[in-house]
Coordinates of all heavy atoms in Angstrom, one line a residue:
M26 N 0.6 -4.0 -6.8 CA 0.4 -2.6 -6.9 C -0.6 -2.2 -5.8 O -1.6 -2.8 -5.6 CB -0.2 -2.2 -8.3 CG -0.4 -0.7 -8.4 SD -0.9 -0.3 -10.1 CE 0.3 1.0 -10.4
P27 N -0.2 -1.1 -5.0 CA -1.1 -0.7 -3.9 C -2.4 -0.1 -4.3 O -2.5 0.5 -5.4 CB -0.2 0.3 -3.1 CG 0.8 0.7 -4.0 CD 1.0 -0.3 -5.1
H28 N -3.4 -0.3 -3.6 CA -4.7 0.2 -3.8 C -4.8 1.7 -3.4 O -4.0 2.2 -2.6 CB -5.9 -0.5 -3.1 CG -5.9 -2.0 -3.5 ND1 -6.5 -2.4 -4.7 CD2 -5.5 -3.1 -2.9 CE1 -6.4 -3.7 -4.7 NE2 -5.8 -4.1 -3.7
N29 N -5.8 2.5 -3.9 CA -5.9 3.9 -3.6 C -6.0 4.1 -2.1 O -5.4 5.0 -1.6 CB -7.2 4.4 -4.2 CG -7.0 4.7 -5.8 OD1 -5.9 4.7 -6.2 ND2 -8.1 4.8 -6.5
A30 N -6.7 3.2 -1.4 CA -6.8 3.3 0.1 C -5.5 3.2 0.7 O -5.2 4.0 1.7 CB -7.8 2.3 0.6
E31 N -4.7 2.3 0.3 CA -3.3 2.1 0.9 C -2.5 3.4 0.6 O -1.7 3.8 1.5 CB -2.6 0.9 0.3 CG -3.3 -0.4 0.7 CD -2.7 -1.6 0.0 OE1 -1.5 -1.6 -0.3 OE2 -3.4 -2.6 -0.3
I32 N -2.5 3.8 -0.6 CA -1.8 5.0 -1.0 C -2.2 6.2 -0.2 O -1.4 7.0 0.4 CB -1.9 5.4 -2.5 CG1 -1.3 4.2 -3.3 CG2 -1.3 6.7 -2.8 CD1 -1.6 4.3 -4.8
A33 N -3.5 6.4 0.0 CA -4.1 7.5 0.8 C -3.6 7.4 2.3 O -3.2 8.4 2.9 CB -5.6 7.5 0.7
K34 N -3.7 6.2 2.8 CA -3.3 6.0 4.2 C -1.8 6.3 4.4 O -1.5 7.1 5.4 CB -3.6 4.5 4.7 CG -3.2 4.2 6.1 CD -3.5 2.8 6.4 CE -3.2 2.5 7.8 NZ -1.9 1.7 8.0
T35 N -1.0 5.9 3.5 CA 0.4 6.1 3.7 C 0.7 7.6 3.5 O 1.5 8.2 4.3 CB 1.2 5.3 2.6 OG1 1.0 4.0 2.8 CG2 2.7 5.6 2.7
A36 N 0.0 8.2 2.5 CA 0.2 9.7 2.3 C -0.2 10.5 3.5 O 0.4 11.5 3.9 CB -0.5 10.1 1.1
I37 N -1.3 10.1 4.1 CA -1.8 10.9 5.3 C -0.9 10.7 6.5 O -0.6 11.7 7.1 CB -3.3 10.4 5.7 CG1 -4.3 10.8 4.6 CG2 -3.6 10.8 7.1 CD1 -5.6 10.1 4.8
E38 N -0.4 9.5 6.7 CA 0.6 9.3 7.7 C 1.9 10.1 7.5 O 2.4 10.7 8.4 CB 0.9 7.8 7.9 CG -0.2 7.0 8.4 CD 0.0 5.5 8.3 OE1 1.0 5.0 7.7 OE2 -0.9 4.7 8.8
D39 N 2.4 10.1 6.3 CA 3.6 10.8 5.9 C 3.3 12.3 6.1 O 4.2 13.0 6.6 CB 4.0 10.5 4.5 CG 4.5 9.1 4.3 OD1 4.8 8.4 5.3 OD2 4.7 8.7 3.1
F40 N 2.1 12.8 5.7 CA 1.7 14.2 5.8 C 1.8 14.6 7.2 O 2.4 15.7 7.5 CB 0.3 14.3 5.2 CG -0.1 15.8 5.0 CD1 0.4 16.5 4.0 CD2 -1.1 16.3 5.9 CE1 0.0 17.8 3.8 CE2 -1.5 17.6 5.7 CZ -1.0 18.4 4.6
R41 N 1.2 13.9 8.1 CA 1.2 14.2 9.6 C 2.7 14.2 10.1 O 3.0 15.1 10.9 CB 0.4 13.2 10.4 CG -1.1 13.4 10.2 CD -1.9 12.4 11.0 NE -3.3 12.6 10.7 CZ -4.2 11.6 10.7 NH1 -3.7 10.3 11.1 NH2 -5.4 11.8 10.5
E42 N 3.4 13.2 9.7 CA 4.8 13.2 10.2 C 5.6 14.4 9.7 O 6.4 15.0 10.5 CB 5.5 11.9 9.7 CG 6.9 11.6 10.3 CD 7.4 10.3 9.8 OE1 7.0 9.8 8.8 OE2 8.3 9.8 10.5
I43 N 5.5 14.7 8.4 CA 6.2 15.9 7.9 C 5.7 17.2 8.6 O 6.6 18.0 8.9 CB 5.9 16.1 6.4 CG1 6.5 14.9 5.6 CG2 6.4 17.4 5.8 CD1 8.0 14.8 5.6
Q44 N 4.5 17.3 9.0 CA 4.0 18.5 9.7 C 4.7 18.6 11.0 O 5.1 19.7 11.5 CB 2.5 18.4 9.9 CG 1.7 18.8 8.7 CD 0.2 18.7 8.9 OE1 -0.3 17.8 9.6 NE2 -0.6 19.6 8.4
E45 N 4.9 17.4 11.7 CA 5.5 17.4 13.0 C 7.0 17.9 12.9 O 7.5 18.7 13.6 CB 5.5 16.0 13.6 CG 4.1 15.6 14.1 CD 4.0 14.2 14.6 OE1 5.1 13.7 15.1 OE2 2.9 13.6 14.6
Y46 N 7.7 17.3 11.9 CA 9.0 17.7 11.6 C 9.2 19.1 11.2 O 10.2 19.8 11.6 CB 9.7 16.8 10.5 CG 9.9 15.3 10.9 CD1 9.7 14.3 10.1 CD2 10.3 15.0 12.3 CE1 9.9 13.0 10.4 CE2 10.5 13.7 12.6 CZ 10.3 12.7 11.8 OH 10.6 11.4 12.1
M47 N 8.2 19.7 10.5 CA 8.3 21.1 10.1 C 8.2 22.0 11.3 O 8.9 22.9 11.5 CB 7.2 21.4 9.1 CG 7.4 20.9 7.7 SD 6.0 21.2 6.6 CE 6.2 22.9 6.4
M48 N 7.3 21.6 12.3 CA 7.2 22.4 13.5 C 8.5 22.4 14.3 O 8.9 23.4 14.8 CB 6.0 21.9 14.4 CG 4.7 22.2 13.8 SD 3.2 21.8 14.8 CE 3.4 20.1 15.1
I49 N 9.1 21.2 14.4 CA 10.4 21.1 15.1 C 11.5 21.9 14.4 O 12.2 22.7 15.1 CB 10.8 19.6 15.3 CG1 9.9 18.8 16.2 CG2 12.3 19.5 15.8 CD1 10.0 17.3 16.1
A50 N 11.6 21.8 13.1 CA 12.6 22.5 12.3 C 12.4 24.0 12.5 O 13.3 24.8 12.6 CB 12.5 22.1 10.9
K51 N 11.1 24.5 12.5 CA 10.8 25.9 12.7 C 11.2 26.4 14.0 O 11.8 27.4 14.2 CB 9.4 26.2 12.4 CG 9.0 27.6 12.3 CD 7.6 27.8 11.8 CE 7.4 29.3 11.5 NZ 6.1 29.5 10.9
K52 N 10.9 25.6 15.0 CA 11.2 25.9 16.4 C 12.7 26.0 16.6 O 13.2 26.9 17.3 CB 10.7 24.8 17.4 CG 10.9 25.1 18.8 CD 10.2 24.0 19.7 CE 10.5 24.2 21.2 NZ 10.0 23.1 22.0
E53 N 13.5 25.1 16.0 CA 14.9 25.1 16.1 C 15.6 26.1 15.1 O 16.8 26.1 15.0 CB 15.4 23.7 15.8 CG 15.0 22.7 16.9 CD 15.5 21.3 16.6 OE1 15.9 21.0 15.5 OE2 15.3 20.4 17.5
N54 N 14.8 26.8 14.3 CA 15.3 27.7 13.3 C 16.2 27.0 12.3 O 17.2 27.6 11.8 CB 16.0 28.9 14.0 CG 16.0 30.1 13.1 OD1 15.2 30.3 12.2 ND2 17.1 30.9 13.3
A55 N 15.8 25.8 11.9 CA 16.6 25.0 10.9 C 15.9 25.3 9.6 O 15.1 24.6 9.0 CB 16.5 23.5 11.2
T56 N 16.4 26.4 8.9 CA 15.7 26.9 7.7 C 15.8 26.0 6.5 O 14.9 25.8 5.8 CB 16.2 28.3 7.4 OG1 17.6 28.3 7.3 CG2 15.8 29.3 8.4
E57 N 17.1 25.4 6.4 CA 17.2 24.5 5.2 C 16.4 23.3 5.4 O 15.8 22.8 4.4 CB 18.7 24.1 5.1 CG 19.6 25.3 4.6 CD 21.0 24.8 4.4 OE1 21.3 23.8 3.9 OE2 21.9 25.7 4.9
T58 N 16.4 22.7 6.6 CA 15.6 21.5 6.9 C 14.1 21.8 6.7 O 13.4 21.0 6.0 CB 15.8 21.0 8.3 OG1 17.2 20.7 8.5 CG2 15.0 19.8 8.6
Y59 N 13.7 23.0 7.2 CA 12.3 23.4 7.0 C 11.9 23.5 5.5 O 10.8 23.0 5.1 CB 12.0 24.7 7.8 CG 10.6 25.1 7.7 CD1 9.7 24.7 8.6 CD2 10.1 26.0 6.7 CE1 8.3 25.1 8.6 CE2 8.8 26.4 6.6 CZ 7.9 25.9 7.6 OH 6.6 26.3 7.5
A60 N 12.8 24.1 4.7 CA 12.5 24.3 3.3 C 12.3 22.9 2.6 O 11.5 22.8 1.8 CB 13.6 25.1 2.7
K61 N 13.2 22.0 2.9 CA 13.2 20.7 2.3 C 11.9 20.0 2.7 O 11.2 19.3 1.9 CB 14.4 19.9 2.7 CG 14.4 18.5 2.1 CD 15.8 18.2 1.6 CE 15.8 16.8 1.0 NZ 16.4 16.7 -0.3
L62 N 11.5 20.1 4.0 CA 10.3 19.4 4.5 C 9.1 20.1 3.8 O 8.1 19.4 3.5 CB 10.2 19.6 6.0 CG 11.2 18.7 6.8 CD1 11.2 19.1 8.2 CD2 10.8 17.2 6.7
K63 N 9.1 21.4 3.6 CA 8.0 22.1 3.0 C 7.8 21.6 1.6 O 6.6 21.4 1.1 CB 8.2 23.6 3.0 CG 7.0 24.3 2.6 CD 7.0 25.7 2.9 CE 5.7 26.4 2.5 NZ 5.6 27.8 2.9
K64 N 8.8 21.3 0.8 CA 8.7 20.7 -0.5 C 8.0 19.4 -0.5 O 7.1 19.1 -1.3 CB 10.1 20.6 -1.2 CG 10.7 21.9 -1.7 CD 12.0 21.6 -2.4 CE 12.6 22.9 -2.8 NZ 13.9 22.7 -3.5
K65 N 8.4 18.5 0.5 CA 7.8 17.2 0.6 C 6.3 17.4 1.0 O 5.4 16.7 0.5 CB 8.6 16.4 1.7 CG 8.0 15.0 1.9 CD 8.4 14.1 0.7 CE 8.0 12.7 1.1 NZ 8.2 11.8 0.0
Y66 N 6.1 18.3 1.9 CA 4.7 18.6 2.4 C 3.8 19.1 1.3 O 2.7 18.6 1.1 CB 4.8 19.7 3.5 CG 3.5 20.4 3.9 CD1 2.8 19.8 4.9 CD2 3.0 21.5 3.3 CE1 1.6 20.4 5.4 CE2 1.8 22.0 3.7 CZ 1.1 21.5 4.8 OH 0.0 22.1 5.2
T67 N 4.3 19.9 0.4 CA 3.6 20.4 -0.8 C 3.2 19.2 -1.7 O 2.1 19.1 -2.2 CB 4.3 21.5 -1.5 OG1 4.6 22.5 -0.6 CG2 3.5 22.1 -2.7
S68 N 4.2 18.4 -2.0 CA 4.0 17.2 -2.8 C 2.9 16.3 -2.3 O 2.0 15.8 -3.0 CB 5.3 16.4 -3.0 OG 6.3 17.2 -3.7
L69 N 3.1 16.0 -1.0 CA 2.1 15.1 -0.3 C 0.6 15.7 -0.3 O -0.3 15.0 -0.5 CB 2.5 14.8 1.1 CG 3.6 13.8 1.2 CD1 4.1 13.8 2.7 CD2 3.2 12.4 0.8
K70 N 0.6 17.0 -0.1 CA -0.7 17.7 -0.1 C -1.3 17.6 -1.5 O -2.5 17.4 -1.7 CB -0.5 19.2 0.3 CG -1.8 19.9 0.5 CD -1.5 21.3 1.1 CE -2.8 22.0 1.3 NZ -2.6 23.4 1.8
A71 N -0.5 17.8 -2.6 CA -1.0 17.6 -3.9 C -1.6 16.2 -4.2 O -2.6 16.0 -4.8 CB 0.0 18.0 -5.0
L72 N -0.8 15.2 -3.7 CA -1.2 13.8 -3.9 C -2.5 13.5 -3.2 O -3.4 12.9 -3.7 CB -0.1 12.9 -3.4 CG -0.4 11.4 -3.3 CD1 -0.7 10.9 -4.7 CD2 0.7 10.6 -2.7
L73 N -2.6 14.0 -2.0 CA -3.9 13.9 -1.2 C -5.1 14.5 -1.9 O -6.2 14.0 -1.9 CB -3.7 14.4 0.2 CG -2.9 13.5 1.1 CD1 -2.6 14.2 2.4 CD2 -3.5 12.1 1.4
N74 N -4.8 15.7 -2.5 CA -5.9 16.4 -3.2 C -6.3 15.6 -4.4 O -7.6 15.4 -4.7 CB -5.5 17.8 -3.6 CG -5.5 18.7 -2.5 OD1 -6.2 18.6 -1.6 ND2 -4.6 19.7 -2.6
V75 N -5.4 15.0 -5.2 CA -5.7 14.1 -6.3 C -6.5 12.9 -5.9 O -7.5 12.6 -6.5 CB -4.5 13.8 -7.1 CG1 -4.7 12.7 -8.1 CG2 -3.8 15.0 -7.7
L76 N -6.0 12.3 -4.8 CA -6.7 11.1 -4.3 C -8.1 11.4 -3.8 O -9.0 10.6 -4.1 CB -5.9 10.4 -3.2 CG -4.6 9.7 -3.5 CD1 -3.8 9.3 -2.3 CD2 -5.0 8.5 -4.4
E77 N -8.3 12.5 -3.2 CA -9.6 12.9 -2.8 C -10.5 13.1 -4.0 O -11.7 12.6 -3.9 CB -9.5 14.3 -2.0 CG -10.9 14.8 -1.5 CD -10.8 16.1 -0.8 OE1 -9.8 16.9 -1.1 OE2 -11.6 16.4 0.0
R78 N -10.1 13.7 -5.0 CA -10.9 13.9 -6.3 C -11.2 12.5 -6.9 O -12.3 12.3 -7.4 CB -10.2 14.8 -7.2 CG -10.1 16.2 -6.8 CD -9.5 17.2 -7.8 NE -9.4 18.5 -7.3 CZ -8.3 19.3 -7.3 NH1 -7.3 18.8 -8.0 NH2 -8.4 20.5 -6.8
V79 N -10.2 11.6 -7.0 CA -10.4 10.3 -7.6 C -11.4 9.6 -6.8 O -12.4 9.0 -7.3 CB -9.1 9.5 -7.6 CG1 -9.3 8.1 -7.9 CG2 -8.2 10.1 -8.7
L80 N -11.3 9.6 -5.4 CA -12.3 8.9 -4.6 C -13.6 9.4 -4.7 O -14.7 8.7 -4.7 CB -11.8 8.9 -3.1 CG -10.6 8.0 -2.9 CD1 -10.1 8.3 -1.4 CD2 -10.8 6.6 -3.1
K81 N -13.8 10.7 -4.9 CA -15.1 11.4 -5.1 C -15.7 11.0 -6.4 O -16.9 10.6 -6.4 CB -15.0 12.9 -5.0 CG -16.2 13.7 -5.4 CD -16.7 14.5 -4.3 CE -17.9 15.4 -4.7 NZ -19.1 14.7 -5.0
L82 N -14.9 11.0 -7.4 CA -15.4 10.5 -8.8 C -15.9 9.1 -8.7 O -16.9 8.7 -9.3 CB -14.3 10.7 -9.8 CG -14.0 12.1 -10.3 CD1 -12.8 12.1 -11.2 CD2 -15.2 12.7 -11.0
L83 N -15.1 8.2 -8.1 CA -15.4 6.8 -8.0 C -16.7 6.6 -7.2 O -17.6 5.9 -7.6 CB -14.3 6.0 -7.3 CG -13.1 5.8 -8.2 CD1 -12.0 5.1 -7.3 CD2 -13.4 5.0 -9.4
S84 N -16.9 7.4 -6.1 CA -18.1 7.4 -5.3 C -19.3 7.8 -6.1 O -20.3 7.2 -6.1 CB -17.9 8.2 -4.1 OG -19.0 8.3 -3.3
D85 N -19.1 8.9 -6.8 CA -20.2 9.4 -7.7 C -20.6 8.4 -8.7 O -21.8 8.2 -9.0 CB -19.8 10.7 -8.3 CG -19.7 11.9 -7.3 OD1 -20.1 11.7 -6.2 OD2 -19.2 13.0 -7.8
R86 N -19.6 7.8 -9.3 CA -19.9 6.7 -10.3 C -20.7 5.5 -9.7 O -21.6 5.0 -10.3 CB -18.6 6.3 -11.0 CG -18.0 7.3 -12.0 CD -16.8 6.8 -12.7 NE -17.2 5.9 -13.7 CZ -16.4 5.1 -14.3 NH1 -15.1 5.2 -14.1 NH2 -16.8 4.2 -15.2
C87 N -20.3 5.1 -8.5 CA -20.9 4.0 -7.9 C -22.4 4.4 -7.6 O -23.3 3.6 -7.8 CB -20.2 3.6 -6.6 SG -18.7 2.8 -6.8
I88 N -22.6 5.6 -7.1 CA -24.0 6.0 -6.8 C -24.8 6.1 -8.0 O -25.9 5.6 -8.0 CB -23.9 7.4 -6.1 CG1 -23.4 7.3 -4.7 CG2 -25.3 8.1 -6.1 CD1 -23.0 8.6 -4.0
L89 N -24.3 6.6 -9.1 CA -25.0 6.6 -10.4 C -25.3 5.2 -10.9 O -26.4 4.9 -11.4 CB -24.2 7.4 -11.5 CG -24.1 8.9 -11.3 CD1 -23.2 9.5 -12.4 CD2 -25.5 9.5 -11.4
H90 N -24.4 4.3 -10.7 CA -24.6 2.9 -11.1 C -25.7 2.3 -10.3 O -26.5 1.6 -10.8 CB -23.2 2.1 -11.0 CG -23.3 0.7 -11.5 ND1 -23.4 0.4 -12.9 CD2 -23.3 -0.4 -10.8 CE1 -23.5 -0.9 -13.0 NE2 -23.4 -1.4 -11.8
L91 N -25.6 2.5 -9.0 CA -26.7 2.0 -8.1 C -28.1 2.5 -8.5 O -29.0 1.8 -8.5 CB -26.4 2.3 -6.6 CG -25.2 1.4 -6.1 CD1 -24.9 2.0 -4.7 CD2 -25.5 0.0 -6.0
V92 N -28.1 3.8 -8.7 CA -29.4 4.4 -9.1 C -29.9 3.8 -10.4 O -31.1 3.5 -10.5 CB -29.3 5.9 -9.2 CG1 -30.5 6.6 -9.9 CG2 -29.0 6.6 -7.9
G93 N -29.0 3.6 -11.4 CA -29.4 3.0 -12.6 C -29.9 1.6 -12.4 O -30.9 1.2 -13.0
D94 N -29.2 0.8 -11.6 CA -29.7 -0.5 -11.2 C -31.1 -0.5 -10.6 O -31.9 -1.3 -10.9 CB -28.7 -1.2 -10.3 CG -27.4 -1.6 -11.0 OD1 -27.4 -1.5 -12.3 OD2 -26.5 -2.1 -10.3
L95 N -31.3 0.4 -9.7 CA -32.6 0.5 -9.0 C -33.7 0.8 -10.0 O -34.8 0.3 -9.9 CB -32.5 1.5 -7.9 CG -31.8 1.1 -6.6 CD1 -31.6 2.3 -5.7 CD2 -32.4 -0.1 -6.0
C96 N -33.4 1.7 -10.9 CA -34.4 2.1 -12.0 C -34.7 1.0 -12.8 O -35.9 0.7 -13.2 CB -33.9 3.3 -12.7 SG -33.8 4.9 -11.9
Q97 N -33.7 0.2 -13.2 CA -34.0 -1.0 -14.0 C -34.8 -2.1 -13.2 O -35.7 -2.7 -13.8 CB -32.6 -1.6 -14.5 CG -32.0 -0.9 -15.6 CD -30.6 -1.5 -16.0 OE1 -30.2 -2.4 -15.3 NE2 -30.1 -1.0 -17.0
M98 N -34.5 -2.2 -12.0 CA -35.2 -3.2 -11.2 C -36.7 -2.7 -11.1 O -37.6 -3.6 -11.0 CB -34.6 -3.3 -9.8 CG -33.3 -4.0 -9.8 SD -32.4 -4.0 -8.2 CE -33.6 -4.9 -7.2
K99 N -36.9 -1.5 -10.9 CA -38.3 -0.9 -10.8 C -39.1 -1.1 -12.0 O -40.3 -1.4 -12.0 CB -38.2 0.6 -10.4 CG -39.2 1.1 -9.5 CD -39.0 2.5 -9.2 CE -39.9 3.0 -8.1 NZ -39.7 4.4 -7.8
G100 N -38.4 -1.0 -13.2 CA -39.1 -1.1 -14.5 C -39.3 -2.6 -14.9 O -40.1 -2.9 -15.7
A101 N -38.6 -3.5 -14.2 CA -38.7 -4.9 -14.6 C -39.9 -5.6 -14.1 O -40.8 -5.3 -13.5 CB -37.5 -5.7 -14.1

């Protein structure tokens, strides 16, 4: 099973690629292609937002854990 970092990396790469294809489709006036790409773009954007929140929560938990450890060490 891929790790969060791998999922995020792949999603970011896919997101950039979709953005490029959307610009080309818009330039070529390929409305159906653009609409399909926009759906994929929206899904990837939602996934990246979720991953961002998860990583923030994990980061916050790690910081709290480290602070707790430091407080215990200080009291020992």
Side-chain angles (χ1 to χ4, degrees):
M26 179 172 232
H28 297 284
N29 287 342
E31 292 173 33
I32 295 169
K34 181 180 180 256
T35 301
I37 290 167
E38 290 169 355
D39 290 350
F40 190 74
R41 286 183 184 146
E42 187 176 25
I43 293 294
Q44 285 179 318
E45 289 176 23
Y46 290 141
M47 285 176 71
M48 288 189 299
I49 293 168
K51 191 170 189 175
K52 183 179 177 184
E53 294 176 350
N54 202 27
T56 55
E57 287 182 44
T58 303
Y59 183 86
K61 182 138 180 133
L62 288 166
K63 188 166 182 174
K64 284 182 182 180
K65 181 73 172 174
Y66 171 89
T67 303
S68 295
L69 285 169
K70 189 173 181 180
L72 174 62
L73 287 171
N74 285 332
V75 168
L76 286 172
E77 180 182 23
R78 289 183 184 134
V79 167
L80 292 173
K81 171 117 176 65
L82 287 171
L83 289 173
S84 175
D85 290 348
R86 288 183 72 190
C87 286
I88 290 169
L89 289 173
H90 185 70
L91 288 171
V92 168
D94 288 349
L95 288 172
C96 288
Q97 285 179 348
M98 290 172 62
K99 213 175 190 183

